[in-house]
Amino acid sequence: MTVLSALARPGRTRTLAAYGLAAALLLLAPTVLSPFRLDLLAKFLCLAMVAVGIGLAWGRGGLLTLGQGVYFGLGGYLMAMHLKLADAGPGGVPDFMLLYGTGQVPGWWEPLRSPIAAILLILLVPAALAAALGWAVFTRRVRGAYFAILSQALAAAFTILLIGQQQTTGGTNGLNGFRAFFGYDLADPANRLMLYFIAAAVLLGMVAVAHQLATSRFGELLVAVRDQEDRGRFLGYDPALVKVVAYVVAAVMAAIGGALFVPIVGIISPADVGVVPSIGFLIGVAIGGRATLLGPVLGSIAVSWAQTSISEQFPSGWIYFQGALFILVVAFLPGGLASVAGVARRRRTAERSRA
Amino acid sequence: MNDIDLTAADALLGTDTARFRHDYLEVRGLRVEFDGFVAVRDVDLTVTQGDLRFLIGPNGAGKTTLIDAVTGLVRATGSAAFGGTELLGRTTHRIARAGVGRTFQTASVFEELTVLQNLDIAAGARRRPLSLLRRRADPPAAVDQALETIGLTALRDTPAGVLAHGQKQWLEIGMLLVQDAHLLLLDEPVAGMTQAEREETGQLLRRIGSQRVVVVVEHDMEFLRSFADSVTVMHQGQVLAEGTVNEVQNDPAVVEVYLGADAASSDATTTGSAEPVATEGDHS
């Protein structure tokens, strides 16, 4: 019910206040966090970008996207390829290709030498893949668990492909050791701060886009198609088209997150894009509250933070903790932590009406 | 509960009649087969504007399947044309855009969205994609008229899921009106309604029927006697009889199907002969 009351009455002031608070916190973070912690936060923000897209596609559109690692990975690998080529200089060959490969840059790497082409490809390749896959799947009316399994299988296939192409993708090691980001030295603390601010600004921009989409007529249509697909069809809408749009937006957001993840973290490997990270993206969204605006972002950041701090204390404890958290949320708080306030309010009203 | 407003219905129905004024539904030789089982065969059906047509028949007679075929939900052979446009072979949403609207046996509205949002979505299938990205400012005039028509103006910001059963069914009819459907296929529109609600719904359907082509699948014989202009009786996937209420009721074949051969001889002429059927629910 919180979803629909929020959807019916967007409560603009509250949304704006929350948004402003989030922006202020992100702005102030560099003054209190050490450079190491700030780098971590920047990484969490990149992962949260994926969550914003999932919140839209899953929370509003009901598309259980279990394979967002693919789009995250496409954005990340395309960015990493560009950075490797830029590091190698004009006509140069990335270091790992000299070690494992033929010492020749493959033809499909060449377009990524240009920074503009790299940025365009980071946006267009995931969008095109998501559009093609979404169209093929949704027009055949594949949905629910079948769609989830399919998207997860895609993530598995993607990692297998990456690992198999050691000479051109770096295999299990992935791509790493970047020295500069569009000409800015990555070892310079000032540039690392800039990267953090870029990530924060992009994330806030994505939240604004997601908010606009959710409160627009498209957002209403997305909920309508999620709940009564046939009804939408009999009103003259093509549900497949509505879902494809949501899926593509989610894919592009994941790709941008992946692209910024690379210079901030300094490595992208199959371990960052496979089945397990894909599920990890989803867990943050589920815990935060998939159908709310800020729930996916806060949930994702909280889970990433918990993962880091718990792993620091108990190196192998995180995976159990994550599982337990997921079970608790699914069993007792299907609306995520964002619904706690609503649940408490309803309980209080119920008690009052009983008294 | 608020009431149906027929004046508002007139205002709404009168807004655009030029496009489909002389159109009619023409079904010829329609056949639907499921894995070798023939659910509908050789159905011919012509329904014109101003002729409120009721479609009746025992469970499994193929009434809903016929509507499913016309709206593209199941594959069919033969022909079904509305306004000169062949409907068979098109996808469901294209059939809807050709002016065909339907309701379901169980009221299917968007439960998480408000009454207003439901109607706004119904009115919007012809909107340009980019306009969808904006927030709704004022709802279209047709939406306001539809709210008046179905008596839900006061409940416009209520989620459709919490509406009473009868109100949901009215909302569905309102959605068909703002959708600008000119062929309305209604599957048991008064099932579960109170007597007063049935009466009001019947009046509204009459009003709609004078401006649109309307086909109603219904089991309630009293409702049928009160509001039907003509009746088509289906049995085992075929059209058994067609005519006015009186003609159909006195048709020996119809009486036999509904009451069995024994009753046909003794009870054929009483108007209440088909009454037992009204208690059955058809979920075919």
Side-chain angles (χ1 to χ4, degrees):
Chain A
M1 293 302 271
T2 50
V3 192
L4 48 120
S5 50
L7 210 69
R9 286 174 294 280
R12 271 189 191 182
T13 38
R14 230 185 56 196
T15 311
L16 264 179
Y19 193 75
L21 185 68
L25 285 176
L26 288 175
L27 197 66
L28 290 176
T31 60
V32 286
L33 293 180
S34 68
F36 171 70
R37 292 287 164 193
L38 195 68
D39 262 3
L40 274 181
L41 181 59
K43 172 183 163 186
F44 299 164
L45 296 183
C46 295
L47 299 176
M49 292 175 199
V50 188
V52 176
I54 295 178
L56 187 76
W58 184 35
R60 303 275 171 183
L63 307 170
L64 189 49
T65 48
L66 265 176
Q68 289 306 86
V70 172
Y71 303 109
F72 181 82
L74 275 176
Y77 268 90
L78 286 169
M79 175 62 87
M81 286 157 70
H82 169 70
L83 297 186
K84 289 310 274 186
L85 287 169
D87 283 351
V93 181
D95 46 12
F96 78 96
M97 284 188 187
L98 297 171
L99 277 174
Y100 305 113
T102 53
Q104 298 263 307
V105 177
W108 56 275
W109 272 63
E110 287 297 342
L112 288 153
R113 280 194 195 276
S114 146
I116 294 166
I119 290 174
L120 284 178
L121 285 172
I122 284 168
L123 299 175
L124 294 180
V125 170
L129 177 66
L133 185 78
W135 189 252
V137 168
F138 300 136
T139 51
R140 280 169 185 74
R141 308 196 185 174
V142 176
R143 56 192 124 171
Y146 298 98
F147 172 72
I149 292 166
L150 203 87
S151 55
Q152 181 134 66
L154 190 68
F158 185 55
T159 45
I160 291 168
L161 181 75
L162 288 173
I163 293 170
Q165 303 297 312
Q166 168 96 13
Q167 299 92 339
T168 51
T169 64
T172 321
N173 301 331
L175 300 175
N176 52 45
F178 316 110
R179 291 194 296 277
F181 176 67
F182 294 100
Y184 292 94
D185 184 0
L186 280 171
D188 184 344
N191 291 339
R192 301 212 63 87
L193 187 63
M194 174 191 76
L195 272 175
Y196 163 79
F197 279 123
I198 290 176
V202 168
L203 179 63
L204 285 171
M206 281 186 187
V207 172
V209 167
H211 178 63
Q212 176 62 29
L213 283 177
T215 52
S216 68
R217 278 179 156 139
F218 174 78
E220 294 174 358
L221 191 58
L222 196 56
V223 172
V225 163
R226 174 191 73 191
D227 292 344
Q228 289 278 356
E229 187 171 329
D230 268 337
R231 179 79 263 178
R233 206 171 266 131
F234 284 115
L235 291 173
Y237 294 101
D238 186 354
L241 202 57
V242 178
K243 291 182 187 177
V244 166
V245 170
Y247 189 52
V248 168
V249 171
V252 170
M253 287 181 171
I256 295 173
L260 285 172
F261 178 90
V262 164
I264 288 170
V265 178
I267 179 171
I268 184 118
S269 73
D272 298 315
V273 306
V275 171
V276 174
S278 293
I279 295 174
F281 292 133
L282 209 71
I283 288 177
V285 176
I287 288 173
R290 61 190 164 111
T292 56
L293 181 65
L294 289 176
V297 176
L298 297 178
S300 165
I301 293 175
V303 166
S304 304
W305 173 81
Q307 176 171 13
T308 305
S309 37
I310 289 176
S311 300
E312 281 169 9
Q313 302 295 323
F314 315 98
S316 61
W318 165 248
I319 196 80
Y320 299 103
F321 186 77
Q322 175 176 302
L325 201 59
F326 193 51
I327 290 169
L328 282 176
V329 167
V330 168
F332 299 108
L333 263 183
L337 292 174
S339 67
V340 168
V343 169
R345 202 179 320 122
R346 267 200 301 284
R347 190 153 299 169
R348 241 177 295 136
T349 345
E351 269 165 23
R352 214 173 301 142
S353 60
R354 227 178 291 134
Chain B
M1 176 159 181
N2 291 296
D3 296 329
I4 294 253
D5 182 345
L6 293 175
T7 335
D10 281 340
L12 180 56
L13 291 165
T15 48
D16 173 28
T17 50
R19 200 155 57 94
F20 290 103
R21 190 171 295 152
H22 303 292
D23 292 339
Y24 54 92
L25 170 67
E26 189 171 39
V27 175
R28 290 289 173 267
L30 192 85
R31 180 186 178 90
V32 180
E33 224 178 295
F34 298 117
D35 296 329
F37 167 71
V38 183
V40 169
R41 72 177 83 207
D42 307 327
V43 167
D44 291 348
L45 186 70
T46 305
V47 187
T48 57
Q49 186 179 313
D51 171 17
L52 187 54
R53 175 69 57 94
F54 275 58
L55 192 58
I56 63 168
N59 289 338
K63 307 179 296 290
T64 301
T65 309
L66 175 62
I67 289 185
D68 286 349
V70 171
T71 52
L73 205 57
V74 300
R75 203 184 287 273
T77 56
S79 157
F82 178 65
T85 309
E86 177 62 46
L87 302 176
L88 297 190
R90 291 179 168 228
T91 56
T92 299
H93 69 277
R94 292 203 183 282
I95 292 175
R97 287 186 197 181
V100 181
R102 74 171 289 183
T103 65
F104 294 84
Q105 286 174 1
T106 49
S108 74
V109 293
F110 305 120
E111 308 223 323
E112 286 213 7
L113 299 177
T114 66
V115 170
L116 180 68
Q117 287 172 328
N118 268 275
L119 289 168
D120 185 65
I121 284 179
R126 292 186 187 87
R127 283 189 190 119
R128 283 205 309 277
L130 280 180
S131 77
L132 289 177
L133 296 181
R134 284 197 295 274
R135 194 191 288 259
R136 171 171 24 77
D138 282 322
V143 168
D144 283 332
Q145 289 168 336
L147 281 169
E148 288 291 327
T149 303
I150 55 177
L152 293 179
T153 304
L155 297 173
R156 53 183 267 171
D157 294 322
T158 311
V162 305
L163 291 181
H165 180 70
Q167 288 173 323
K168 278 188 197 167
Q169 281 162 306
W170 283 353
L171 177 56
E172 275 212 288
I173 294 174
M175 286 164 78
L176 291 189
L177 293 179
V178 294
Q179 183 190 351
D180 205 21
H182 283 246
L183 168 61
L184 286 79
L185 306 163
L186 307 172
D187 206 346
E188 302 194 30
V190 297
M193 281 191 183
T194 66
Q195 194 53 44
E197 287 170 340
R198 279 163 200 251
E199 182 66 28
E200 290 195 65
T201 309
Q203 298 289 355
L204 177 62
L205 292 184
R206 272 245 158 118
R207 206 56 72 96
I208 298 171
S210 68
Q211 297 290 328
R212 306 278 194 266
V213 182
V214 181
V215 178
V216 181
V217 171
E218 194 47 73
H219 280 287
D220 183 333
M221 289 301 145
E222 205 189 316
F223 185 71
L224 176 142
R225 273 193 291 277
S226 305
F227 296 105
D229 289 323
S230 61
V231 181
T232 298
V233 185
M234 288 188 70
H235 180 54
Q236 292 178 348
Q238 287 173 298
V239 172
L240 187 68
E242 194 169 291
T244 64
V245 178
N246 262 328
E247 285 167 8
V248 165
Q249 263 178 343
N250 294 323
D251 189 315
V254 175
V255 174
E256 188 184 327
V257 164
Y258 268 83
L259 294 172
D262 297 340
S265 51
S266 62
D267 209 21
T269 50
T270 58
T271 46
S273 60
E275 205 61 56
V277 188
T279 56
E280 285 179 31
D282 184 330
H283 298 287
S284 56

